[in-house]
Amino acid sequence: MAHDQENSIIVLDKFIQATRDSGYKGTASAVAELVDNSIQAHAKHIWISIGASGDPHFPIRITIVDDGVGMDKTTLRQALRFGGSSRFNDRGGLGRYGMGLPNSSVSQARRVEVYSWQRQAGPTHFTYLDIDEIVAGKMRDVPEPKAKAIPAGLGIAQAKSGTAVLWWRCDRLSYARPNTLLAKLHQALGRVFRHYLWDGFEIEINGELVQPIDPLFLKMNGSGGQAALYGEPLTYEFKAPSHNGDAVRTGMVIVKFAELPVHELHALSNEEKRARGISNGAGVSVVRGGREVDFGWFFMGGKRKENYDDWWRAEVSFDPVLDEVFGITHTKQQIRPQEGLTKVLEADFEATAKALNGRVRDAHLKLKAVASVGLAEQTASAREAQLTPLPKSMGAEAETLAKKVVQQYPSLKPSVKADTVSVAAEYRILTAKTPDAVMFSFTRVGEQFLVLLNPDHPFYRKVYKPLEDRESAEAREAKKNIDLLLLAAARAEATLGDAKASERNAVADNRKQWSNILATYLNR
C-alpha cells in the first residue's frame, strides 16, 4: 500500500518542531538523559565537552562520549527513532521509552550526530538527525548508518567501545556563556547522579571530574557541615501495576531524613548559605533506581514550608517497577504521586517534618540567646540613664517567664544575686515562645532586660524574619528601628511593675488583644 503523506499519523515537520518543547527543564536535564543511556549501556566513564563550534550563529557545540558497549548499525538507527528503543518499557535500567536520545537532543540542538563502535564489530558507524532537513521535507527517515571516523579536532578520546553524541547548531541551550553552562552542568549532574558517582562511575566535563553533591549533606567531601541521619530509614512495600497479564510484582520505597548541623553553619552569611545549598533547599529528593528524578515539598500533608525547614532534608528512593505509583514522566524530571502512595507516606512525613522543624527552631533559639547584642539593644542600653528607672518587680508573669528563659538558656543565668539589681543595664531581643501566644513578651534576668519575640506569631514569620535575613543596609536600618519600637513598647509596659495588679493585667490584656488583631490582619 502506498504511503499516504496527507493522512499519516504524524505530520513530521510539525511534530519535530513541537517535540522540541516536550518537557525538558533545560540543558542539564537533556544531558542527563544521555547519561542515562550511557549507564544503561554499561559505561564506566563519560566525557562531556563544551566547545566552540566555529559557527557565529550557534557558537557552542556539545559532545557526550561514553565507553559503553556501543551499538551495531541496526541498533544505532533505531536509537534515533522516537520510541525506537530495543528496551521499550524495560524497568531494569534508567531508560524506558526509547525517547531519550532523539528527544533530548532536538530539545537543545538543530542537528545531532551519533557515532558508535563496538570492540569486535568493525568500523565506527555514523548517522544523524537534522531539524532543518526534516522541516524542509528532505529527511523522512533516519539515514542508514555508514562507516565514518569521528572528526579530528574535537578532543574526543575514543574508548575501545562506546558512543559519541554531538550537538551542532545549539539554539536552545539554557545559558549562552560556556563557563556558566559548565558550572551548571557540574552542579546538576553531580546531584542527579550522586549515587552512581559514589559507586565509582565517572563523568568528566572539559577535563574536570564531576563531584557528587548530596542535598542531604550526609556526605560532604571534606567541606564541613556534615548532617546526621534522623532516626532509622523507613521502608514501605507497594504493589506495582501488572502489564499484559504479568505476575504481580512489588517494589520497595525507602525514606531517610537528615538533620543539618545548625551550630556549625548558622553563622554563615546568607550568600554562603545559598552557595552551599542551605537556603531555599528545603524539600524531598526523589530517587528512582539511584538517579534523582525530582525535588520538592512532597508528602508533607498540612505542614507548610518555613525557613527552619532549610535545615533538614529527606530522600525517597524507589524501585523503577513503581513508576506508575510515583507518576514518573518519560523525561524523568517530575513525579505525580498516586493518592494511595501519598496517603501512606504523609502520616510519617508530616509528623517527622514537624519534629525536625521544632528541633531546628530550638537550636536556633539557643544560639540566638548567646549571639552578639545588636545595634538597637546597644542604643537602648546606652540611653537607659535618660529614662525613669525600671521597678525592681515586673510582676508575677515576668518572674515566671524569667525562670523558664534561664532553664532554656543557662548562659543567661545572672552571676550576681537578683536582689542586688535595681535597673536593667543591658537590653536583649530573643526569640522564644510567649504566654498566650502574644507577639512579644518581656522579663528581666539579672541585669538583662529581655524582649521575647514569639516565632509562631505571623509578625515574626512575615515581617521580622524576612527582614532579618536580608543583608542590605536598608534592611539593617529598618530592623534596628523595629527593634527599638519593640524595646520601647516592652519597657513602657515594664514600668508598671510597681502598679496595682489590676492595672498591669489591663495593659497585658491590651497587648494580647493587639497581638491577636495583628495576627488576623497578617494571616491573609
Side-chain angles (χ1 to χ4, degrees):
M1 184 173 65
H3 182 61
D4 187 350
Q5 301 287 353
E6 292 185 359
N7 297 299
S8 62
I9 294 175
I10 295 175
V11 180
L12 185 57
D13 60 328
K14 304 294 192 301
F15 167 80
I16 199 68
Q17 295 181 80
T19 198
R20 305 192 77 197
D21 297 320
S22 62
Y24 287 97
K25 295 178 180 177
T27 303
S29 297
V31 171
E33 190 76 66
L34 299 189
V35 175
D36 289 343
N37 291 347
S38 297
I39 291 173
Q40 197 146 5
H42 307 293
K44 301 297 182 185
H45 196 112
I46 291 178
W47 296 266
I48 298 173
S49 172
I50 301 172
S53 67
D55 184 336
H57 300 291
F58 310 102
I60 297 178
R61 173 261 308 158
I62 296 179
T63 65
I64 300 98
V65 186
D66 67 44
D67 61 355
V69 297
M71 294 178 279
D72 58 26
K73 293 175 63 175
T74 301
T75 306
L76 173 56
R77 196 176 193 186
Q78 290 295 313
L80 274 176
R81 296 182 66 212
F82 290 84
S85 172
S86 60
R87 297 187 292 260
F88 186 83
N89 208 29
D90 176 17
R91 309 302 180 96
L94 295 181
R96 181 175 161 191
Y97 294 108
M99 299 284 285
L101 174 54
N103 207 30
S104 63
S105 297
V106 301
S107 75
Q108 304 297 308
R110 303 192 70 82
R111 180 181 175 93
V112 53
E113 298 178 352
V114 184
Y115 298 79
S116 197
W117 59 99
Q118 297 180 307
R119 291 177 184 271
Q120 299 173 345
T124 297
H125 297 292
F126 162 83
T127 191
Y128 71 101
L129 287 179
D130 191 295
I131 296 290
D132 298 315
E133 291 184 21
I134 295 172
V135 172
K138 298 178 180 179
M139 175 181 284
R140 303 203 64 82
D141 302 300
V142 178
E144 182 177 355
K146 62 182 180 180
K148 182 179 179 181
I150 298 177
L154 296 180
I156 296 176
Q158 192 166 324
K160 291 182 180 179
S161 64
T163 298
V165 178
L166 284 66
W167 289 350
W168 297 99
R169 302 205 301 276
C170 296
D171 62 337
R172 308 188 71 170
L173 300 178
S174 299
Y175 303 95
R177 296 173 60 87
N179 287 342
T180 304
L181 185 59
L182 183 73
K184 295 297 183 179
L185 279 179
H186 268 282
Q187 184 178 38
L189 299 181
R191 175 169 173 154
V192 169
F193 296 102
R194 61 186 182 270
H195 290 280
Y196 285 91
L197 296 173
W198 287 327
D199 288 340
F201 181 70
E202 293 183 331
I203 303 174
E204 190 175 319
I205 308 177
N206 284 16
E208 183 180 353
L209 287 174
V210 172
Q211 300 299 320
I213 297 175
D214 183 11
L216 272 69
F217 285 67
L218 291 170
K219 298 183 180 182
M220 295 305 297
N221 298 327
S223 61
Q226 185 170 350
L229 275 175
Y230 178 76
E232 294 295 324
L234 307 176
T235 59
Y236 309 84
E237 187 172 5
F238 287 89
K239 183 185 297 184
S242 61
H243 299 278
N244 301 321
D246 294 343
V248 175
R249 295 175 296 173
T250 60
M252 298 302 299
V253 176
I254 301 174
V255 178
K256 58 184 177 182
F257 297 90
E259 197 172 10
L260 275 64
V262 176
H263 66 284
E264 185 176 342
L265 301 175
H266 80 286
L268 296 175
S269 67
N270 289 341
E271 182 179 0
E272 182 65 19
K273 287 175 184 175
R274 287 191 294 269
R276 292 200 184 194
I278 299 172
S279 299
N280 301 317
V284 181
S285 173
V286 182
V287 176
R288 172 191 185 265
R291 187 247 209 233
E292 184 176 89
V293 294
D294 208 347
F295 187 89
W297 195 248
F298 301 115
F299 313 116
M300 296 297 179
K303 170 71 175 73
R304 67 176 184 272
K305 185 162 60 173
E306 305 174 62
N307 289 337
Y308 287 126
D309 294 316
D310 283 339
W311 294 89
W312 64 269
R313 308 293 164 82
E315 180 183 275
V316 176
S317 59
F318 68 95
D319 296 330
V321 296
L322 298 177
D323 278 355
E324 285 85 357
V325 177
F326 277 82
I328 290 292
T329 62
H330 77 275
T331 57
K332 299 185 289 294
Q333 299 175 99
Q334 188 177 11
I335 65 168
R336 299 185 180 92
Q338 289 185 352
E339 183 179 354
L341 173 70
T342 300
K343 186 175 182 180
V344 170
L345 296 186
E346 269 188 358
D348 290 332
F349 257 88
E350 185 173 0
T352 305
K354 290 179 177 178
L356 282 164
N357 181 283
R359 288 169 61 88
V360 170
R361 175 178 293 178
D362 288 345
H364 274 92
L365 295 181
K366 290 178 181 178
L367 290 166
K368 191 174 180 66
V370 296
S372 58
V373 178
L375 292 175
E377 291 98 322
Q378 295 177 35
T379 299
S381 298
R383 308 277 174 86
E384 176 64 20
Q386 302 176 27
L387 303 175
T388 302
L390 285 165
K392 293 182 179 181
S393 174
M394 295 185 184
E397 180 182 304
E399 292 176 3
T400 300
L401 190 57
K403 294 177 181 178
K404 292 181 179 180
V405 171
V406 171
Q407 287 177 351
Q408 188 173 3
Y409 307 114
S411 61
L412 296 176
K413 187 175 182 179
S415 57
V416 295
K417 293 183 179 180
D419 58 7
T420 65
V421 181
S422 58
V423 297
E426 183 178 334
Y427 285 77
R428 300 290 298 274
I429 296 178
L430 306 177
T431 309
K433 292 185 178 181
T434 57
D436 298 320
V438 294
M439 191 192 90
F440 74 91
S441 191
F442 60 88
T443 187
R444 190 173 68 189
V445 175
E447 295 185 351
Q448 299 179 98
F449 181 73
L450 307 179
V451 176
L452 307 176
L453 271 179
N454 183 3
D456 290 332
H457 195 278
F459 170 80
Y460 180 81
R461 297 196 310 270
K462 296 187 175 183
V463 180
Y464 195 85
K465 188 65 168 65
L467 194 62
E468 189 177 45
D469 289 341
R470 293 172 57 189
E471 295 183 330
S472 67
E474 293 83 358
R476 287 193 295 271
E477 180 66 17
K479 179 181 177 299
K480 184 191 79 170
N481 292 332
I482 289 177
D483 284 344
L484 288 172
L485 184 151
L486 291 169
L487 289 168
R491 195 191 189 285
E493 185 175 341
T495 58
L496 297 173
D498 289 335
K500 294 180 180 179
S502 59
E503 294 179 11
R504 293 199 304 268
N505 292 338
V507 175
D509 286 342
N510 183 69
R511 173 161 45 95
K512 181 179 179 181
Q513 291 296 326
W514 179 83
S515 296
N516 291 339
I517 294 171
L518 180 60
T520 301
Y521 288 163
L522 292 177
N523 276 330
R524 55 188 183 275

